[in-house]
């Protein structure tokens, strides 16, 4: 059959459209195998939340993702579907996101009766750190990072808004600045209270309050990198040394854009063989 130029162009366009789908399917299968291997070796339930910022793209446009309500719904469903006596390994790679969603996930992590380990191969900032605070153990690489959990108001640190308000007499502060400062005070108090709530089962209340104040009150800039050593000095249960299989799993990301950043496998009851 003779192909003209128009047909070749159409076929080339279809190949370009299908290639990300095929690549995505290949990565999904490889990730499923890698996750199952980790689950078998550690006798745990593996859940991942990977928000790639570096290489996710669609038709040449960079795309980014953050912690959202869809992630919270997916992770909560995965945790609730896990037997109460089965440990959970949660792999986090995220710049943060909605405080509401992060707090929902953190509460679900804290409520799981068996041990929950959070793995941070590269970084879990802001809301990712909030989730990590709820875990029984945080496993980081030598150069992995956590971060402050200070809330951001319209992209500006709540602590900085409060500092600006307090830097001059109130009669010289605009109504808008006063409103933003009021919201900042409430947001900071809420984050502190939430952090203390999820940490107190494993930490004395006074220590939890001091740590929450340190992380949420603008001690550092929002993108400050908390190293494993510094996180340990603050009182967090940090172990340095990522299992090789977790590092290998991270190599299977980024993948073509998918609807949810959360991925987990259906629970495989004991004695049931996979087909």
């Amino acid at each position: 059959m003779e192909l003209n130029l128009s047909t070749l162009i159409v076929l080339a366009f279809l190949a370009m459209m299908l290639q990300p789908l095929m690549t995505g399917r290949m990565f999904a299968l490889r990730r499923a195998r890698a996750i199952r291997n980790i689950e078998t070796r550690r006798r745990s339930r593996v859940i991942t939340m990977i928000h790639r910022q570096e290489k996710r793209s669609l038709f040449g446009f960079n795309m980014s993702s953050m912690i959202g309500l869809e992630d919270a719904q997916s992770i909560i469903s995965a945790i609730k579907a896990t037997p109460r006596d089965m440990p959970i390994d949660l792999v986090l790679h995220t710049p943060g996101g909605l405080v509401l969603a992060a707090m929902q996930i953190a509460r679900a992590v804290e409520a799981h009766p068996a041990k929950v380990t959070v793995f941070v191969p590269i970084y879990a900032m802001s809301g990712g750190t909030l989730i990590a605070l709820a875990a029984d153990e945080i496993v980081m690489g030598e150069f992995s990072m956590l971060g402050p959990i200070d809330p951001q108001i319209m992209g500006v640190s709540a602590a900085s808004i409060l500092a600006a308000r307090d830097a001059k007499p109130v009669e010289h502060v605009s109504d808008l600045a006063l409103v933003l400062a009021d919201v900042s005070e409430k947001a900071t108090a809420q984050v502190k209270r939430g952090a203390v709530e999820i940490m107190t089962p494993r930490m004395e209340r006074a220590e939890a309050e001091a740590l929450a104040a340190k992380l949420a009150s603008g001690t550092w800039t929002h993108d400050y990198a908390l190293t494993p050593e510094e996180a340990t000095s603050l009182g967090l249960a940090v172990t340095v040394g990522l299992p090789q299989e977790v590092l290998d799993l991270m190599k299977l990301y980024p993948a073509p854009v998918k609807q949810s950043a959360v991925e987990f496998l259906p629970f495989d009851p004991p004695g049931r063989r996979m087909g």
Side-chain angles (χ1 to χ4, degrees), residues 12-256:
F13 179 76
L14 289 175
M16 291 173 57
M17 292 292 291
L18 291 174
Q19 189 272 336
L21 297 175
M22 298 298 294
T23 302
R25 180 59 179 165
M26 179 190 70
F27 271 109
L29 291 173
R30 293 176 63 189
R31 285 196 301 270
R33 287 196 296 268
I35 289 172
R36 188 64 78 195
N37 288 338
I38 297 173
E39 290 181 334
T40 300
R41 194 186 75 80
R42 290 180 55 84
R43 298 181 180 178
S44 66
R45 182 74 181 281
V46 174
I47 306 170
T48 71
M49 184 169 70
I50 311 297
H51 293 128
R52 279 294 194 191
Q53 303 290 299
E54 302 91 350
K55 296 181 180 179
R56 290 169 62 92
S57 63
L58 181 65
F59 301 127
F61 296 97
N62 290 330
M63 299 186 68
S64 62
S65 56
M66 304 175 74
I67 302 172
L69 294 176
E70 182 183 349
D71 296 326
Q73 180 181 359
S74 298
I75 290 182
I76 290 171
S77 296
I79 292 175
K80 288 177 71 67
T82 303
R84 293 171 59 84
D85 60 347
M86 174 172 283
I88 289 177
D89 292 331
L90 177 59
V91 183
L92 292 182
H93 176 79
T94 179
L98 287 177
V99 174
L100 171 62
M103 196 64 214
Q104 284 182 302
I105 296 170
R107 287 191 173 110
V109 166
E110 191 278 321
H112 187 65
K115 181 180 180 180
V116 178
T117 303
V118 164
F119 291 92
V120 183
I122 303 172
Y123 63 84
M125 307 296 285
S126 189
T129 297
L130 187 61
I131 296 169
L133 294 178
D136 298 293
E137 181 183 17
I138 305 170
V139 179
M140 303 174 66
E142 182 182 359
F143 304 107
S144 301
M145 300 179 297
L146 298 175
I149 58 174
D150 54 311
Q152 307 294 291
I153 310 298
M154 299 176 63
V156 179
S157 168
S160 296
I161 293 174
L162 293 173
R165 179 202 61 184
D166 297 338
K168 51 188 174 182
V170 68
E171 59 268 20
H172 294 210
V173 181
S174 69
D175 290 345
L176 176 59
L178 289 173
V179 170
L180 292 177
D182 179 64
V183 174
S184 297
E185 285 184 335
K186 293 174 181 175
T188 302
Q190 289 166 188
V191 169
K192 287 181 182 177
R193 186 167 61 249
V196 170
E197 173 195 331
I198 61 176
M199 288 190 291
T200 45
R202 296 165 311 283
M203 187 181 295
E204 293 294 330
R205 186 170 186 86
E207 295 177 1
E209 289 176 346
L211 179 53
K214 185 84 170 177
L215 292 174
S217 298
T219 304
W220 309 279
T221 59
H222 193 60
D223 61 352
Y224 180 77
L226 283 170
T227 64
E229 293 76 15
E230 192 165 5
T232 300
S233 70
L234 290 173
L236 296 179
V238 173
T239 299
V240 179
L242 288 163
Q244 185 59 47
E245 55 263 37
V246 173
L247 296 174
D248 292 339
L249 176 62
M250 285 300 296
K251 294 176 183 179
L252 303 179
Y253 298 91

